[in-house]
Amino acid sequence: MISDNQKFNKTIQPNSAFLSDLKIKLPEFFAEDGSFDIDKFKNQLDDNNINVQSEGYRLDFIGKGYARRQAGEMPTTVIVPDKKQNMGEGKNSKNLFFTGDNLEVLRHLQSAYTNKVDVIYIDPPYNTGSDGFVYRDKIEYSDDKLKEMFGIDDDDQVERLKSIQEKSSHSAWLTFMMPRLILAKNLLKDSGIIFVSIDDNEESNLSLLMEEVFGEGDFVNRFIWTKTSTPPSLSSKSRQTTEYVITFERNQSPLKKYFGSNNNNLDASLLKKTNSEKLIVIHPNCARFKFIQKGNLDAGKYGNIKLLNNVIINNGKNVNEMKISAHTVWSQNKVDEELKNGTRIIFKTKSLNPRYLRQRNDNYKAPNTNLNKEEAGVGTNESASNYITQLGFGSNVFTNPKPVTLIKYLVQMVTYDEKDKVILDFFAGSSTTADAVMQLNAEDGGHRKFIMVQLPEKTYKVDRDTGKPILDKRGQKIPTKGGKAAYDAGFKSIDQISRERIRRAAKKIKQDNELTLPENFDGSFKHYRVVKPTKQILEDIENFDPNGTDLFTNMVDSFSSSKLNVDGNATGEQTILTTWLVQDGYSFEADIETFYLGEYKAHIVENHRLYLINEGWNQDDTKELLNQLGTHQLDLQSVVVFGYSFNIAELRELEIGLKQLDSHVNLIRRY
């Protein structure tokens, strides 16, 4: 697990991730030893009369090779489930929240979520000098190893590479961003899109970097967001009122349309509890029923409306006029106008809560590049701060939060007609993206899912070498420059605030949409912490001899949340299993069955992979497993073993027995 990945990472080169991607797309140009056959490739270009561009430009910066190498590395952390959250309020949620380094989280997600994400929105550090960004990743390799990795023989070049550490230069920022964007691209579907917020300081560099990662032809737009109407008078040159949202698609498609105008009203509820009760008549064939195609509806009380007459339904439409009494957002005149223009009233469930669906072709209009209040209904930093206050947070808990309306606009722009999309934000910050996704689902009945990632950045000062808090003369923790308000409010790390924002936002959404909230509204999340093993565990792993007869005592327990010094009440077995499932391509919703061989506890996932993690395996367990496989009580493709829990004799016996079966079952050992 950790040891295997560390060994793999030692072999990674700057071009490893690129070659791996190329091998998937063009396997016919790779030799048996894994090398790329450039001559064969050139011959194919010549045979097909393809012109090759001989001149061009590219983005170069100190650390570029190192950034490419990082994109190809395996994770060296484990995924620790938050048992309290995941078995409590988040038990039935399909939303995910990861606490940890987003580069490590993106590495973990490569197997299970490649080509699974529809929309990515990120608001990375802007590298302004005042936002606290410095390049934190320590380049701990020896000078000789760095020369070997990057094919350099100049000591000055090595020093230049190492010089980006703890810096906020353009090169440091680009080295930080590049591997994250490469891994993010892998997660996007072919039809996926990424939005990145940025200001003038790195906008030009970001555009060039994204062209390199995604391709120059996949650029979509450079939206201009009005972030404030009252900029500070700090410059004699200009007063900055705007920022940008750089937008790229995974694969540019001329057929894909984005919906700009009236995006909040394309598919929305017709009810609002604060409006007056009205009598509404829906003309024949203007209602659509999703839960019934043919039959009758009797007059009476349904959910939050009163049906005043019997209605005949055929082919999912109302044969006769339909009279309802409800707290509606439209008057009868407005209903008549909308129905005349092709809008239809839809009833998705038996509760008959009405929604209106406008015809896309009649109302389609591409979005403007200006994202402001007047043209797009998008708010500013000030409106975002006011909203945060409404959620019960004190002032200045969040620094320059993005307004929910901005991210709602962007997400709605591309998910207006497919409302079950997956939205990822790996710079979650104040979790505005999660709030926006939940609000959209409440408004249009969608089932979009969010994945949030946030570093557990402390709101108090920490010694970088020891990891311990820095104390004042009274022995009290010292808040960071921008974290005092959050610290005083009881939040000791940014991820705590981020998760609490989701909870409070969901509560407000439920209160504001009491009458119209869709069934199965998901206002929670499952929580996982991505954690580095302790120094002691790493030392034990380094000293372990897989061919020896000695076993570690309680090695499994070393990966429990308590031994890893994080909250969550997870056992070591749960941590190892969760980490492996994602590595093996299973989602966090995978079907996991607890399985016993005698008294030995194991796990079967989706009926074809058996995980053996715990200590205590013996000969009788091997015999019973082979018996169940031989008599077809079990139908497995592979058995995955936690090598530290098994001695070499047990493993060999199990391996030989599995090979002797008619239906060969693969044994996978992990360390």
Side-chain angles (χ1 to χ4, degrees):
M1 185 171 60
I2 300 299
S3 179
D4 294 338
N5 289 0
Q6 288 175 331
K7 290 176 182 177
F8 176 85
N9 289 346
K10 289 180 180 179
T11 67
I12 287 296
Q13 298 296 320
N15 63 359
S16 294
F18 171 74
L19 286 174
S20 178
D21 188 39
L22 196 63
K23 193 171 185 178
I24 293 172
K25 296 175 180 176
L26 300 171
E28 66 272 23
F29 295 107
F30 282 81
E32 288 185 12
D33 62 358
S35 61
F36 184 71
D37 191 337
I38 186 65
D39 292 330
K40 182 179 180 181
F41 184 68
K42 287 180 177 178
N43 289 335
Q44 285 290 315
L45 294 178
D46 292 338
D47 291 346
N48 289 279
N49 297 317
I50 296 175
N51 294 323
V52 179
Q53 182 176 328
S54 58
E55 295 183 1
Y57 66 93
R58 66 176 185 174
L59 177 67
D60 274 324
F61 54 90
I62 301 170
K64 187 174 184 179
Y66 185 70
R68 284 175 168 163
R69 187 180 190 279
Q70 284 188 308
E73 290 184 352
M74 297 285 284
T76 55
T77 51
V78 291
I79 305 174
V80 188
D82 184 340
K83 186 177 178 182
K84 181 179 178 181
Q85 171 71 20
N86 298 355
M87 299 305 294
E89 64 178 79
K91 183 176 182 180
N92 298 316
S93 179
K94 295 183 179 180
N95 299 317
L96 302 174
F97 190 106
F98 294 94
T99 294
D101 177 1
N102 56 14
L103 182 57
E104 278 289 291
V105 175
L106 290 169
R107 287 170 177 157
H108 277 293
L109 296 180
Q110 290 303 295
S111 294
Y113 287 86
T114 293
N115 298 128
K116 298 287 180 63
V117 175
D118 299 280
V119 181
I120 295 175
Y121 170 83
I122 56 172
D123 184 17
Y126 286 4
N127 195 22
T128 60
S130 62
D131 61 359
F133 171 77
V134 293
Y135 188 74
R136 302 292 187 199
D137 189 28
K138 291 185 178 180
I139 302 174
E140 297 177 337
Y141 300 102
S142 67
D143 289 1
D144 289 340
K145 183 63 176 177
L146 290 174
K147 289 179 180 179
E148 177 190 336
M149 285 178 179
F150 304 111
I152 54 180
D153 53 14
D154 189 331
D155 290 340
D156 289 340
Q157 287 181 289
V158 172
E159 289 305 313
R160 288 180 68 207
L161 172 59
K162 292 165 67 175
S163 72
I164 66 173
Q165 298 174 101
E166 300 296 329
K167 297 290 179 63
S168 60
S169 63
H170 292 302
S171 288
W173 189 83
L174 288 165
T175 303
F176 170 79
M177 289 296 297
M178 187 176 197
R180 288 162 172 81
L181 289 174
I182 291 172
L183 295 176
K185 178 187 176 183
N186 294 341
L187 300 181
L188 277 177
K189 288 182 179 177
D190 287 342
S191 59
I193 186 169
I194 181 171
F195 300 101
V196 185
S197 283
I198 201 68
D199 72 354
D200 286 303
N201 191 56
E202 294 288 1
E203 185 274 328
S204 58
N205 285 330
L206 175 66
S207 295
L208 289 173
L209 179 61
M210 293 186 72
E211 282 184 6
E212 180 158 330
V213 171
F214 288 88
E216 188 175 349
D218 290 324
F219 171 75
V220 175
N221 215 327
R222 177 177 173 270
F223 293 103
I224 303 171
W225 169 55
T226 302
K227 67 176 182 176
T228 181
S229 56
T230 57
S233 302
L234 300 178
S235 173
S236 60
K237 303 294 184 183
S238 64
R239 300 175 69 193
Q240 190 64 41
T241 62
T242 59
E243 290 181 4
Y244 311 102
V245 181
I246 309 301
T247 309
F248 277 73
E249 289 179 353
R250 173 70 187 267
N251 283 303
Q252 180 77 274
S253 169
L255 300 178
K256 190 184 302 180
K257 289 186 176 182
Y258 299 146
F259 193 84
S261 64
N262 298 321
N263 67 321
N264 288 329
N265 296 321
L266 185 68
D267 176 356
S269 176
L270 195 58
L271 302 183
K272 191 173 184 180
K273 65 180 180 180
T274 55
N275 285 25
S276 61
E277 188 169 356
K278 305 179 186 72
L279 170 64
I280 298 296
V281 177
I282 304 172
H283 305 306
N285 295 315
C286 291
R288 300 289 184 269
F289 298 87
K290 300 295 185 181
F291 66 94
I292 184 173
Q293 286 297 300
K294 187 173 183 178
N296 299 318
L297 288 177
D298 296 330
K301 184 77 166 58
Y302 291 82
N304 296 303
I305 77 161
K306 297 173 187 173
L307 180 59
L308 302 179
N309 67 307
N310 297 333
V311 178
I312 303 170
I313 301 170
N314 190 34
N315 292 325
K317 304 175 184 178
N318 59 319
V319 175
N320 58 320
E321 70 178 21
M322 183 177 183
K323 297 179 182 179
I324 64 172
S325 179
H327 296 272
T328 60
V329 295
W330 288 346
S331 65
Q332 183 64 51
N333 288 338
K334 177 64 173 174
V335 170
D336 291 341
E337 178 186 345
E338 289 287 339
L339 295 179
K340 182 179 179 181
N341 291 329
T343 299
R344 295 294 176 257
I345 310 300
I346 56 176
F347 298 92
K348 296 184 177 182
T349 66
K350 294 178 181 179
S351 61
L352 291 187
N353 285 333
R355 308 185 67 80
Y356 58 90
L357 178 64
R358 285 180 170 141
Q359 297 299 309
R360 184 177 70 185
N361 292 336
D362 295 341
N363 295 278
Y364 173 78
K365 183 179 179 182
N368 294 327
T369 55
N370 293 324
L371 302 179
N372 53 35
K373 182 69 175 177
E374 293 74 24
E375 296 177 70
V378 170
T380 61
N381 283 144
E382 292 87 352
S383 64
S385 295
N386 291 336
Y387 173 73
I388 295 296
T389 302
Q390 292 177 27
L391 293 178
F393 292 99
S395 59
N396 300 320
V397 169
F398 298 116
T399 304
N400 297 322
K402 292 293 187 290
V404 178
T405 47
L406 170 63
I407 303 177
K408 279 177 65 178
Y409 187 91
L410 297 173
V411 173
Q412 175 81 334
M413 185 194 303
V414 294
T415 68
Y416 58 89
D417 57 349
E418 295 180 281
K419 304 180 181 68
D420 58 350
K421 300 298 188 181
V422 176
I423 293 91
L424 167 66
D425 184 345
F426 52 90
F427 289 95
S430 61
S431 278
T432 304
T433 300
D435 194 344
V437 168
M438 292 189 297
Q439 287 194 31
L440 283 175
N441 287 341
E443 290 172 5
D444 64 18
H447 293 91
R448 302 171 186 84
K449 295 176 282 291
F450 63 74
I451 302 175
M452 299 289 107
V453 185
Q454 177 55 43
L455 187 72
E457 184 178 351
K458 303 299 183 185
T459 57
Y460 53 86
K461 295 182 179 180
V462 176
D463 185 284
R464 293 205 177 279
D465 295 325
T466 66
K468 295 181 179 180
I470 299 174
L471 307 178
D472 61 18
K473 294 179 179 179
R474 299 171 299 166
Q476 302 295 315
K477 294 175 182 175
I478 304 172
T480 59
K481 181 179 178 182
K484 187 176 187 308
Y487 182 84
D488 291 343
F491 298 106
K492 301 304 183 278
S493 60
I494 302 301
D495 63 295
Q496 291 180 0
I497 317 173
S498 192
R499 294 193 299 277
E500 181 61 21
R501 159 74 178 276
I502 297 174
R503 295 186 180 101
R504 296 189 188 186
K507 182 179 179 180
K508 187 176 189 304
I509 289 168
K510 291 173 183 177
Q511 291 172 344
D512 293 347
N513 298 272
E514 182 181 352
L515 297 180
T516 61
L517 200 67
E519 294 182 9
N520 302 320
F521 171 75
D522 193 345
S524 190
F525 54 89
K526 284 187 169 62
H527 180 215
Y528 300 88
R529 292 179 171 89
V530 174
V531 181
K532 280 190 174 295
T534 63
K535 184 178 180 181
Q536 184 61 54
I537 296 175
L538 294 175
E539 290 177 355
D540 290 344
I541 288 173
E542 187 174 352
N543 295 327
F544 179 73
D545 179 7
N547 295 314
T549 57
D550 295 332
L551 295 179
F552 279 117
T553 302
N554 295 326
M555 180 53 130
V556 174
D557 188 53
S558 298
F559 291 95
S560 66
S561 55
S562 60
K563 293 297 176 62
L564 292 169
N565 302 313
V566 295
D567 295 332
N569 299 322
T571 65
E573 181 187 24
Q574 290 168 335
T575 295
I576 295 166
L577 181 61
T578 301
T579 305
W580 280 359
L581 290 177
V582 177
Q583 177 181 333
D584 292 338
Y586 297 106
S587 76
F588 289 86
E589 301 169 31
D591 181 21
I592 306 169
E593 176 188 352
T594 301
F595 178 75
Y596 284 91
L597 286 157
E599 296 183 356
Y600 187 89
K601 179 185 176 185
H603 301 276
I604 293 180
V605 180
E606 297 188 355
N607 297 318
H608 63 257
R609 180 165 286 214
L610 178 67
Y611 290 91
L612 307 179
I613 297 172
N614 291 313
E615 298 172 5
W617 185 268
N618 57 45
Q619 286 184 332
D620 291 338
D621 298 324
T622 298
K623 291 177 182 178
E624 179 60 23
L625 175 59
L626 295 176
N627 176 59
Q628 292 199 31
L629 288 168
T631 57
H632 304 293
Q633 297 176 61
L634 283 178
D635 183 17
L636 299 176
Q637 295 176 3
S638 55
V639 176
V640 186
V641 172
F642 189 56
Y644 304 108
S645 295
F646 291 72
N647 65 41
I648 190 64
E650 292 166 347
L651 281 173
R652 284 175 178 168
E653 182 182 41
L654 180 58
E655 186 173 25
I656 292 169
L658 291 175
K659 286 182 178 178
Q660 291 175 344
L661 293 172
D662 290 337
S663 56
H664 178 62
V665 179
N666 188 31
L667 178 67
I668 301 171
R669 290 186 279 180
R670 288 182 178 159
Y671 295 96

